Amino acid sequence: NVHVCFVVNYPFVNVNGWTSWLWMNAELMKAGYLPIVSTLVNRIAWFEALDQSMAYGHSEPFNRLVAAVVLEGFKPYQTVLGI
């Protein structure tokens, strides 16, 4: 929700995506998760879920997408560790 709130409220349109992405990753790392790597994200699904959150207040699709991408980021570590 940090990402959505920041995108909606940040007054400078040209950098709100990058800044909110950094902030979201900082919050994920603070909570013990890996940061989201942009190559793992399906950008169309990302923006559709973000639009749903911003326009209609439906944050569940965006939250599910973030959770899926975070879990995907663990796969290389799981492969190396054999888990």
Side-chain angles (χ1 to χ4, degrees), residues 1 4 24 28 36 40-42 45-46 48-50 52-53 57-73:
N1 288 341
V4 175
M24 176 183 62
L28 284 169
I36 292 176
L40 296 175
V41 176
N42 176 343
W46 185 269
E48 286 176 354
L50 189 58
Q52 285 288 316
S53 292
H58 301 143
S59 61
E60 188 61 31
F62 186 77
N63 292 341
R64 273 188 272 133
L65 184 60
V66 169
V69 174
V70 167
L71 290 175
E72 186 73 23

Side-chain angles (χ1 to χ4, degrees), residues 3 6-7 10 12-22:
H3 184 72
F6 194 81
V7 169
Y10 193 69
F12 306 106
V13 178
N14 59 342
V15 293
N16 65 358
W18 290 108
T19 307
S20 60
W21 190 275
L22 287 170

Side-chain angles (χ1 to χ4, degrees), residues 2 20-37 66 70 74 77:
V2 169
S20 60
W21 190 275
L22 287 170
W23 190 13
M24 176 183 62
N25 277 334
E27 290 297 318
L28 284 169
M29 290 187 297
K30 206 165 66 173
Y33 296 100
L34 295 171
I36 292 176
V37 179
V66 169
V70 167
F74 281 108
Y77 299 98

